[in-house]
Amino acid sequence: MSSETRKPGYHIAWKAVSYRSVALLVMAGAAVVLIGIRLTFPTFSENSLKAAESLASRALQRVAGMSPTTGSGVTMAQQAHFTALDGTVRVKKGNGNTWVGADYNIPLEKGDVVQTGSEGMAKVVFNDGTSYTVKQDSLIVIEENSANDQQQTNVAVAVSTGTVDLSTATYSLGSKSQVIVAGATASLSPQSTAQVHNDPKMDQHEILMKKGSGEVTRGTETVQLASWEKVSFQASETHMEKAKGTGPPTPISPANMAPIFTTGDATKDVEFSWTPMANAVGYRLRISRNPYFSSTLVDKRVNTADVSVTSLGEGAYYWVVQSYEASGKESIESEKNRFTIISKGKQGDAIDLELDPFIQHGHVIEVAGKTQVGARVMVNGREVPMVTSDGTFHYFTPPLAAGEAVITVTAQTAQGGVNTQQKKIIIQ
C-alpha cells in the first residue's frame, strides 16, 4: 500500500516467542552475570555457582523435556505403610510436632516417628518388602527410605526404645536394609529375620539374628552374625559381646491352622504340647487373640513340655512357647501357631468375602475387605497377619514386577469353607 493511500493511525506488529525461548534467554543472562561475579569474587561465588549449575540443569530438563538416563543413580524418596495396627499407636510426621493416631491411610516417610503404647502393636512394611513389627512400649524413627533408577533400595530404621521384630525380603544387589540401635548399625542380608531390643534406662542393647545373616557395626568394630547369634552391649563399653542365642521349642499341638470342635459346650479344654529342650527347667506358654500378642489371655509357666488350658471359648487363638534355664534366661519365642475353636453346628455356614477396590502405591498393592469372623485370609499365597474381630482385613503386597499382575485373595474357614477371588491390575 502506498504512503498516499495509507490511513493515519497506530500499526502494531508482534513476533511469537515461546516460553521455552524466554526461559533459555533468562538462564543465559543469569549465566553471564554469574560468570562475571565468579571472576570478581572467586572464593565467594564458588558454592553459589555449584548451586546455580544444579538449578539450571534441573530447569533445562523441565524446559527441554529431558529425563535422567538409565543408570544415573537418581534417588527417589519412597513411602512405607502400616499393614497391622492394634491398641494405642501414634505417629509424628518428620515435618511436624504433633502426634496423631496411627491409621492405615497415613503414609510413612523419612523422618517420621512411630510409637506404641503399653498394649499397642504396629506392623510397618516398606516397598523393598522389609517389615518391622513394633511391639509394646516402643518407638522407632524412619531414618532412610529411598530407591534409585536401578531398583536399588535403601531402608534404615532407628529403634529408640523397646523391641522390634524385622524381616527382609529378596532385594536387588546393592540394596541396603539396616536397623540402628544406640549407635550400632545392623545390616541384614536378604531373606533374614532379627529381633532388636533397646532399653536406654537400663543401658541394655541387643540384636539377635533369628534367620539368615547380617553384620553389626559400632564405631570401628564389626561383628558378623548367623542364625541364632546375637550381640549385646552397653553405651559405656567400647566392645560388643557376641553370644549364641537359645533356640525355641517347636510347637506340636494344637497344630497351626488346626480346627478344634466343640459339641455344644460354650467352652473347650485344650491340650498344648511342644518339643522338650535340653537344659530347660521350665517353659512359658502364652495365648492371645491376635498374632502380635499385644494382649494375652494366658501367660503361665510350667515345668513340663505339655499343659492343659481350660475354658477357652469359640474363635481364633494364637500361641507361642519359650524355654528358660535355671539362671532365668529365656529362649526366643517359638513360631506362632493359630487354632480355632468351632461349634460343630456351624460347619455348614456359608463364607463371605467382600473386597474393596485395590489401591496402588507404586509397585505395592493395598488389599482390604471383609470376610467371615474367624476365617483365614491369603493374598497371593501369603497369609494376612491380622483379621479383626468383625472380619475386616488390610494387607500390602510385596513389590510386584511391572506389567500385568493377578491378585488372588482366598478366605478359608477351619470347617473347609472357601471363597477365592482374582483381579488383574497393571503395574506401571
Side-chain angles (χ1 to χ4, degrees):
M1 183 180 293
S2 64
S3 59
E4 290 81 3
T5 59
R6 182 180 299 165
K7 294 182 179 181
Y10 294 103
H11 297 274
I12 301 173
W14 66 86
K15 182 178 181 181
V17 179
S18 68
Y19 289 120
R20 182 179 298 180
S21 300
V22 173
L24 291 172
L25 286 172
V26 170
M27 286 185 287
V32 171
V33 173
L34 288 171
I35 291 172
I37 295 174
R38 170 68 172 172
L39 294 174
T40 308
F41 307 102
T43 303
F44 172 78
S45 61
E46 182 175 357
N47 292 334
S48 299
L49 277 175
K50 289 181 179 179
E53 288 170 1
S54 176
L55 178 61
S57 174
R58 292 196 298 270
L60 279 170
Q61 289 176 7
R62 285 181 173 271
V63 172
M66 297 168 60
S67 60
T69 58
T70 302
S72 61
V74 175
T75 299
M76 299 292 291
Q78 297 201 18
Q79 296 177 336
H81 299 274
F82 289 112
T83 62
L85 291 167
D86 192 38
T88 302
V89 183
R90 303 193 302 168
V91 177
K92 183 169 70 175
K93 302 297 289 183
N95 57 1
N97 296 314
T98 305
W99 289 96
V100 297
D103 185 86
Y104 290 110
N105 296 319
I106 297 178
L108 298 174
E109 302 161 307
K110 180 178 178 179
D112 290 355
V113 184
V114 177
Q115 184 184 49
T116 56
S118 59
E119 291 189 356
M121 180 284 309
K123 185 174 182 179
V124 180
V125 175
F126 291 79
N127 283 14
D128 69 345
T130 301
S131 66
Y132 288 77
T133 299
V134 187
K135 297 190 175 182
Q136 301 97 314
D137 289 321
S138 300
L139 186 146
I140 68 168
V141 181
I142 299 176
E143 297 286 351
E144 186 60 63
N145 185 21
S146 61
N148 61 23
D149 54 354
Q150 297 175 320
Q151 302 301 312
Q152 294 172 328
T153 56
N154 185 5
V155 170
V157 170
V159 179
S160 300
T161 185
T163 303
V164 172
D165 287 334
L166 65 145
S167 63
T168 59
T170 300
Y171 42 75
S172 60
L173 184 65
S175 297
K176 292 191 295 185
S177 184
Q178 299 179 317
V179 60
I180 302 164
V181 184
T185 300
S187 300
L188 273 66
S189 302
Q191 298 290 339
S192 297
T193 61
Q195 184 179 85
V196 174
H197 179 70
N198 187 12
D199 187 345
K201 291 183 179 180
M202 300 299 294
D203 195 15
Q204 295 177 347
H205 321 286
E206 181 180 283
I207 301 171
L208 169 67
M209 189 67 57
K210 293 183 179 180
K211 184 183 75 172
S213 62
E215 64 177 25
V216 181
T217 300
R218 179 172 178 254
T220 58
E221 184 183 16
T222 298
V223 176
Q224 302 291 330
L225 293 181
S227 297
W228 302 118
E229 291 183 341
K230 65 178 181 179
V231 293
S232 56
F233 60 92
Q234 293 182 323
S236 58
E237 298 175 347
T238 58
H239 177 66
M240 293 186 292
E241 205 61 47
K242 180 178 178 179
K244 187 72 174 177
T246 304
T250 301
I252 297 175
S253 180
N256 195 28
M257 301 308 300
I260 299 176
F261 297 103
T262 65
T263 56
D265 297 330
T267 61
K268 177 73 172 177
D269 296 347
V270 179
E271 295 289 335
F272 292 83
S273 64
W274 50 87
T275 56
M277 300 294 291
N279 302 322
V281 297
Y283 303 89
R284 181 187 181 191
L285 170 69
R286 289 188 296 148
I287 305 173
S288 176
R289 284 284 193 177
N290 69 70
Y292 300 103
F293 288 77
S294 53
S295 60
T296 55
L297 300 174
V298 174
D299 187 346
K300 63 189 304 182
R301 293 175 180 263
V302 297
N303 298 326
T304 58
D306 56 78
V307 65
S308 178
V309 177
T310 61
S311 303
L312 292 178
E314 291 185 30
Y317 296 88
Y318 298 83
W319 70 282
V320 295
V321 64
Q322 296 169 268
S323 64
Y324 60 89
E325 301 174 0
S327 63
K329 178 183 177 182
E330 291 184 339
S331 72
I332 194 70
E333 292 176 355
S334 69
E335 294 294 324
K336 299 177 179 67
N337 272 15
R338 181 183 191 269
F339 67 96
T340 309
I341 298 178
I342 306 160
S343 172
K344 282 188 175 181
K346 297 183 178 181
Q347 292 184 65
D349 290 353
I351 178 170
D352 296 324
L353 177 61
E354 300 175 3
L355 296 180
D356 298 339
F358 292 163
I359 300 175
Q360 187 170 348
H361 306 278
H363 286 241
V364 175
I365 305 302
E366 181 181 355
V367 181
K370 185 173 184 179
T371 185
Q372 181 172 311
V373 175
R376 173 192 187 190
V377 179
M378 307 284 286
V379 177
N380 285 358
R382 296 173 178 257
E383 184 171 4
V384 174
M386 188 72 174
V387 179
T388 63
S389 58
D390 65 352
T392 59
F393 59 89
H394 236 95
Y395 181 79
F396 288 82
T397 69
L400 303 174
E404 185 178 89
V406 177
I407 306 297
T408 302
V409 183
T410 300
Q412 181 180 20
T413 62
Q415 303 96 310
V418 177
N419 190 333
T420 297
Q421 297 185 27
Q422 287 187 328
K423 292 187 179 182
K424 293 182 179 179
I425 192 165
I426 303 299
I427 308 296
Q428 301 292 339

